[in-house]
Amino acid sequence: GEWDAPPHPYLFAERGEPPEMWTRSGPGSITRAWCIFEMGKCLQKDCDLHVVLNDSDRAGFEGLLTKRFHDIAGIVAGVDARDAQISKTEDRDYIRKEIDSLPGGPGAVNTA
């Protein structure tokens, strides 16, 4: 679905500032810096990532799988780790160091 983006800066400061009052789409977890960090760690350690969804997200995901399965490819292809937002900018350096250390850097999260 679509939702209002929070007023947080991008994880990758070189992306500039996010637009004001903008609408995002797709899974919210992929837009959060710490979630990108967790995905990167799973890639680095070659382990499974299990995601727990709240009731609203679960209902939306179920509908996506049963009624709009073809949309999943577009959603996944549209994910760009560089668009992740960070609420605590003091965490930026640590998360960036970890993501940048992946073979392929942030692109590794995008291609996974």
Side-chain angles (χ1 to χ4, degrees), residues 50-62:
H50 298 269
V51 177
V52 177
L53 302 173
N54 64 33
D55 290 340
S56 172
D57 287 341
R58 188 171 43 253
F61 189 64
E62 182 179 336

Side-chain angles (χ1 to χ4, degrees), residues 1-3 24-31 36 39 53 57 59-81 83 109-112:
E2 292 188 342
W3 43 279
R24 297 195 79 147
S25 61
S29 59
I30 297 178
T31 67
I36 296 294
M39 286 187 276
L53 302 173
D57 287 341
F61 189 64
E62 182 179 336
L64 186 63
L65 287 175
T66 59
K67 298 178 180 139
R68 297 178 24 232
F69 188 76
H70 62 280
D71 290 345
I72 292 174
I75 290 169
V76 172
V79 170
D80 189 339
D83 289 337
V109 176
N110 291 344
T111 59

Side-chain angles (χ1 to χ4, degrees), residues 37-112:
F37 167 81
E38 291 164 355
M39 286 187 276
K41 280 298 185 186
C42 286
L43 289 168
Q44 193 175 54
K45 295 176 182 272
D46 194 30
C47 61
D48 294 336
L49 174 67
H50 298 269
V51 177
V52 177
L53 302 173
N54 64 33
D55 290 340
S56 172
D57 287 341
R58 188 171 43 253
F61 189 64
E62 182 179 336
L64 186 63
L65 287 175
T66 59
K67 298 178 180 139
R68 297 178 24 232
F69 188 76
H70 62 280
D71 290 345
I72 292 174
I75 290 169
V76 172
V79 170
D80 189 339
R82 298 172 305 153
D83 289 337
Q85 291 176 276
I86 189 163
S87 58
K88 294 183 178 183
T89 54
E90 62 269 20
D91 295 340
R92 179 182 276 146
D93 289 342
Y94 177 77
I95 296 172
R96 280 294 307 266
K97 179 178 69 95
E98 294 296 319
I99 296 299
D100 290 342
S101 73
L102 290 171
V109 176
N110 291 344
T111 59

